[in-house]
Amino acid sequence: MKKLMMTMVAALLMSATAMAQENNGQRPQRQMDPAEMAKAQTERMAEEYGLSAEQKDKLLEVNTQYAGKIRMGGMRGMRGGQGGPRGGQGGMQQGERPSREQMEARMKEMRENQEAYKGELKKILSEEQFKKYEEAEKQRMERFGRGGFGGPRRNQ
């Protein structure tokens, strides 16, 4: 009986250790679909900028339209086989790095989408709310520039 209990405990510990190592100690990331992402962003922005119900409805439409085109979906899928926002990767094989031209084209597209998104926001938000949005964006970009997304910190 004692041997059986020790064997069970050992098996349990080994399986727990194997499961913990499976993700290299990181919790698994769940991919949000674009509609969930748009709704979450709208809720966050409505609270942060004090939007009315009408503004919130219009913002949800805009966020749904641009979900996956800017920010989160921006550079995801640049290596083939990872399924970016557009599905295919223009002939790239899995694991293949994009060419400089492909990266520049994608960055240009992302900048254009960001500018169009800001134009839509300007129509929805009051002048004061838009100023708050731009200040928050500036702060996010500063954090990103200093490794705000888990990268190495620079110039500290």
Side-chain angles (χ1 to χ4, degrees), residues 56-78:
K56 189 175 170 182
D57 291 341
K58 289 178 182 178
L59 181 62
L60 180 60
E61 287 179 33
V62 171
N63 284 342
T64 301
Q65 177 185 351
Y66 284 92
K69 292 182 181 180
I70 56 176
R71 281 199 206 133
M72 296 267 188
M75 295 301 284
R76 187 175 39 227
M78 284 301 286

Side-chain angles (χ1 to χ4, degrees), residues 129-145:
Q129 289 168 329
F130 190 73
K131 282 181 184 178
K132 280 177 79 174
Y133 167 79
E134 285 193 313
E135 182 60 34
E137 278 297 295
K138 182 180 174 185
Q139 290 174 356
R140 276 190 277 276
M141 289 307 291
E142 286 174 2
R143 278 197 313 264
F144 177 72

Side-chain angles (χ1 to χ4, degrees), residues 80-143:
Q82 292 182 4
R86 291 189 263 147
Q89 292 302 323
M92 287 194 312
Q93 300 298 315
Q94 183 162 347
E96 183 181 336
R97 290 188 62 130
S99 70
R100 181 177 202 87
E101 292 80 23
Q102 289 171 318
M103 287 180 68
E104 287 173 357
R106 182 67 180 131
M107 290 298 291
K108 181 180 181 219
E109 180 184 348
M110 285 171 43
R111 280 191 296 273
E112 289 170 355
N113 285 330
Q114 182 68 33
E115 288 303 313
Y117 178 74
K118 283 173 87 172
E120 293 293 327
L121 282 184
K122 235 179 188 174
K123 296 176 189 175
I124 297 169
L125 303 179
S126 70
E127 198 172 313
E128 182 181 318
Q129 289 168 329
F130 190 73
K131 282 181 184 178
K132 280 177 79 174
Y133 167 79
E134 285 193 313
E135 182 60 34
E137 278 297 295
K138 182 180 174 185
Q139 290 174 356
R140 276 190 277 276
M141 289 307 291
E142 286 174 2
R143 278 197 313 264

Side-chain angles (χ1 to χ4, degrees), residues 20-46:
Q21 289 178 352
E22 210 169 272
N23 293 322
N24 294 329
Q26 297 176 357
R27 77 184 123 127
Q29 293 183 350
R30 182 176 81 79
Q31 288 241 329
M32 288 179 110
D33 77 354
E36 287 177 24
M37 195 168 64
K39 187 172 182 177
Q41 182 177 11
T42 300
E43 291 297 326
R44 180 190 58 78
M45 290 176 74

